[in-house]
């Protein structure tokens, strides 16, 4: 019996979920699906600059599972670009984190903000700009 899929914590909800080559009608395109956990894996490593073991922790999966998720996501995106396929972002065993958590490096204040509200300008307690995003706290 297959083990139930473990939910991966994901700190993003993508604004665009469908990408396709310009000027080609959708009906003549082949479509490939990028799961949301795959996009999150690439975001954590390629944009936030985390090491894979840190990113795995952030998503609540093992290092080995994370490696599989990100390898598969990169292959999917590369195939879409190289083979001119439409890319749909959806699905995956994910639990979307509704809020982002920030930690102030100066006063250690922790606060949460919903997605889509932009990056805060300063710590609401001490006005320091030395704070970081950390969804693990
Ligand atoms: Zn502060």
């Amino acid at each position: 019996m297959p083990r139930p899929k473990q939910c991966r914590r994901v700190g993003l909800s993508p604004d665009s979920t469908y990408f396709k080559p310009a000027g080609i009608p959708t009906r003549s395109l082949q479509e490939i699906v990028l799961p949301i956990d795959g996009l999150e894996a690439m975001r954590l490593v390629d944009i936030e600059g985390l090491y894979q073991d840190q990113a795995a922790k952030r998503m609540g999966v093992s290092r080995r599972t994370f490696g599989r998720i990100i390898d598969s996501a990169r292959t999917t995106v590369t195939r879409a670009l190289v083979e001119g396929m439409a890319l749909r972002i959806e699905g995956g065993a994910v639990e979307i984190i509704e809020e982002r958590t920030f930690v102030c490096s100066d006063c250690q204040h922790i606060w949460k903000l919903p997605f889509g509200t932009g990056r805060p300008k300063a710590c609401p307690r001490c006005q320091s700009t030395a704070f970081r995003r950390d969804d693990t706290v």
Side-chain angles (χ1 to χ4, degrees):
M1 205 171 90
R3 271 193 310 165
K5 251 195 171 178
Q6 188 191 359
C7 264
R8 288 89 190 238
R9 265 177 300 154
V10 164
L12 89 173
S13 70
D15 295 328
S16 301
T17 55
Y18 197 79
F19 296 87
K20 72 178 202 57
I24 301 173
T26 304
R27 65 177 180 281
S28 53
L29 282 174
Q30 211 186 328
E31 191 178 285
I32 193 166
V33 172
L34 174 65
I36 292 172
D37 48 357
L39 179 63
E40 171 75 343
M42 291 192 292
R43 184 183 74 80
L44 291 173
V45 169
D46 298 334
I47 295 182
E48 286 202 26
L50 299 185
Y51 289 109
Q52 290 205 6
D53 54 339
Q54 299 173 305
K57 239 175 250 158
R58 185 86 75 89
M59 287 179 68
V61 297
S62 71
R63 169 70 181 72
R64 178 190 297 243
T65 298
F66 185 87
R68 222 174 39 231
I69 293 171
I70 196 166
D71 285 350
S72 156
R74 285 177 171 158
T75 302
T76 298
V77 171
T78 305
R79 278 193 68 196
L81 296 178
V82 170
E83 298 175 21
M85 299 163 106
L87 184 70
R88 179 186 297 282
I89 299 168
E90 69 181 10
V94 295
E95 166 203 347
I96 308 278
I97 302 168
E98 302 290 344
E99 291 179 316
R100 301 164 299 164
T101 303
F102 296 92
V103 181
C104 177
S105 303
D106 287 333
C107 74
Q108 313 307 320
H109 180 54
I110 294 172
W111 73 102
K112 292 177 185 290
L113 289 173
F115 278 98
T117 54
R119 185 175 168 81
K121 291 199 168 37
C123 166
R125 186 153 84 184
C126 74
Q127 306 306 315
S128 166
T129 54
F131 59 85
R132 65 186 188 279
R133 169 107 180 258
D134 187 348
D135 291 317
T136 60
V137 294

